[in-house]
Amino acid sequence: MDLYFIKVKARSKGTAEEIVGYFFGKTNSLPDFDFLVVPLRYSEITDHITLEENLNDFREKLEKAKQEVKAISGVYDVTLAFLAYLNNMLNRRGKIPLGIEFSTAIKENDTEVLKVIIGDLLEEWSPKMEVFVKAQGMLLEEYSSYTFLEMQEDFADENVAKTYGRADVADLPEVFPVIDPINGSTITQFDIGDIMPVVILNPGKYEKMLREKFPDFDKDRFSVEAKIISKELIRVKGGNLYLVKVELAENLLAKSLISPALKILSDETYFIKKRRQQSTERKESSEKYPKTIKVEIPSTTGSELLISFMTTLLVTGALLIIIYLFMK
């Protein structure tokens, strides 16, 4: 688990308010958050937001609801006050310790603990709130797949279609960078020759070759270290995208369409993590199959024994002569 996402809905009879929002962060790290507070008389605005939504749909519906509330004079002020209150509570509680508590509860699949933690955070805003929670942990590769799906509308742009139809691009496998939404770097910060972790989305006609080099490329956890060989700016209706060509292996290129707004897992973070994993695997392998050192003592030949015996006789004879001379 690399990331956690906690969806929250809460209702207070005391203040006659409904609260909906989420906590989102890297495992054992401080959480980001976004919430909306509406008086119960406007609760129909948030009724369509359920805890069953996936990450992207939940955030999209929350944002639309916020825009709707902002159009009602004075109502969004309550949300601003709540966000300030929540930030203050997180600072008092300690954001990183809170992130560790969230991560531990999600790893142990303990929803009740999450309810207690979040209920404590809301206690001073409105005591004894009715709190509903649903959480999920995910890998960076899984989050990257979600992000790729979000970008599908951009792919329909005519400039993208024209670019993808080019002879040097059309048949290449499609990949997408591994996204780190908290500490990542934008594609503009990556240079030609840099290493960028990617997930393989569509192998195309290169599936056989990819399976020979990366047998598990279509697994959720699998990412590939790709070397950037070109970056090209593509203008679309919503702004700009980058067409990036990467080298997955010798004589095997791939394409990726990347928004400059995305935060990509940096090579430094990725390689530190990978080196630790490899070190752990080597250690476990060493413990499972301990190395043995065989010491071989060379056998002694007959001639070596004869030489040793003759040397001993000569030394003994010399000693006897010296003793005899001194005793005369």
Side-chain angles (χ1 to χ4, degrees):
M1 184 178 94
D2 298 317
L3 302 168
Y4 59 84
F5 184 64
I6 305 169
K7 294 166 281 189
V8 181
K9 288 195 87 169
R11 178 165 289 200
S12 168
K13 293 180 180 178
T15 55
E17 294 169 339
E18 184 163 87
I19 299 172
V20 59
Y22 63 83
F23 295 98
F24 177 60
K26 293 185 77 171
T27 303
N28 295 334
S29 187
L30 68 166
D32 192 9
F33 61 87
D34 194 15
F35 280 85
L36 174 64
V37 182
V38 296
L40 289 180
R41 66 181 181 275
Y42 294 114
S43 61
E44 71 275 2
I45 295 175
T46 59
D47 282 346
H48 67 293
I49 304 175
T50 74
L51 300 185
E52 304 306 315
E53 316 280 1
N54 66 36
L55 181 150
N56 290 335
D57 290 343
F58 188 88
R59 292 200 296 194
E60 185 178 337
K61 287 186 176 183
L62 180 66
E63 184 57 34
K64 286 181 179 178
K66 287 177 76 172
Q67 297 306 317
E68 192 173 343
V69 169
K70 285 178 181 179
I72 305 172
S73 178
V75 176
Y76 190 67
D77 291 344
V78 182
T79 295
L80 294 176
F82 177 79
L83 292 174
Y85 157 81
L86 189 57
N87 187 60
N88 182 52
M89 289 299 295
L90 264 61
N91 287 332
R92 283 165 53 185
R93 183 75 172 265
K95 290 182 178 180
I96 291 180
L98 184 63
I100 293 172
E101 289 182 49
F102 281 157
S103 302
T104 303
I106 294 170
K107 286 177 182 176
E108 296 176 357
N109 198 26
D110 199 332
T111 304
E112 292 305 313
V113 169
L114 285 175
K115 281 185 180 181
V116 171
I117 295 171
I118 294 169
D120 287 346
L121 291 174
L122 302 179
E123 181 71 19
E124 293 184 26
W125 179 265
S126 180
K128 298 180 180 179
M129 293 192 76
E130 189 178 16
V131 179
F132 302 92
V133 172
K134 190 151 189 178
Q136 68 181 108
M138 66 186 77
L139 300 168
L140 290 174
E141 288 84 353
E142 292 175 295
Y143 181 77
S144 302
S145 297
Y146 278 125
T147 306
F148 176 76
L149 293 174
E150 274 189 325
M151 292 183 61
Q152 290 299 302
E153 289 183 8
D154 294 329
F155 291 5
D157 189 274
E158 60 181 13
N159 285 342
V160 173
K162 189 185 298 182
T163 303
Y164 267 31
R166 282 178 4 202
D168 63 316
V169 176
D171 293 334
L172 295 181
E174 179 107 41
V175 299
F176 195 71
V178 177
I179 303 301
D180 179 352
I182 309 299
N183 301 319
S185 304
T186 67
I187 187 60
T188 58
Q189 295 173 282
F190 283 79
D191 296 321
I192 306 302
D194 284 349
I195 300 299
M196 180 175 70
V198 300
V199 291
I200 300 170
L201 300 172
N202 180 12
K205 68 179 186 180
Y206 294 92
E207 182 170 359
K208 183 179 179 181
M209 186 184 298
L210 282 167
R211 290 204 180 278
E212 288 174 356
K213 295 183 179 293
F214 314 108
D216 300 322
F217 80 81
D218 54 354
K219 300 291 191 299
D220 287 341
R221 297 172 177 271
F222 197 82
S223 59
V224 177
E225 299 167 31
K227 181 179 179 181
I228 298 175
I229 62 170
S230 72
K231 280 168 47 177
E232 181 180 341
L233 188 66
I234 307 294
R235 300 194 182 279
V236 295
K237 292 175 184 176
N240 295 322
L241 297 173
Y242 281 89
L243 174 68
V244 179
K245 286 185 189 177
V246 297
E247 184 179 53
L248 301 177
E250 189 176 357
N251 299 320
L252 182 55
L253 303 183
K255 64 191 174 193
S256 183
L257 201 61
I258 305 172
S259 166
L262 293 178
K263 290 185 176 181
I264 302 168
L265 182 66
S266 69
D267 57 340
E268 182 180 357
T269 305
Y270 180 73
F271 291 132
I272 288 174
K273 181 179 177 181
K274 188 155 189 174
R275 280 196 294 270
R276 284 176 181 166
Q277 289 174 339
Q278 290 173 340
S279 176
T280 301
E281 288 170 2
R282 283 196 296 268
K283 184 178 178 182
E284 289 174 351
S285 176
S286 176
E287 290 172 352
K288 188 175 181 181
Y289 303 105
K291 293 180 180 179
T292 58
I293 301 174
K294 186 178 180 181
V295 180
E296 294 184 357
I297 302 175
S299 58
T300 306
T301 63
S303 60
E304 289 172 336
L305 285 173
L306 179 60
I307 292 170
S308 177
F309 178 69
M310 292 297 294
T311 302
T312 303
L313 286 178
L314 289 171
V315 172
T316 304
L319 287 172
L320 288 172
I321 292 169
I322 292 170
I323 292 170
Y324 174 76
L325 291 173
F326 275 101
M327 289 181 67
K328 283 185 71 176

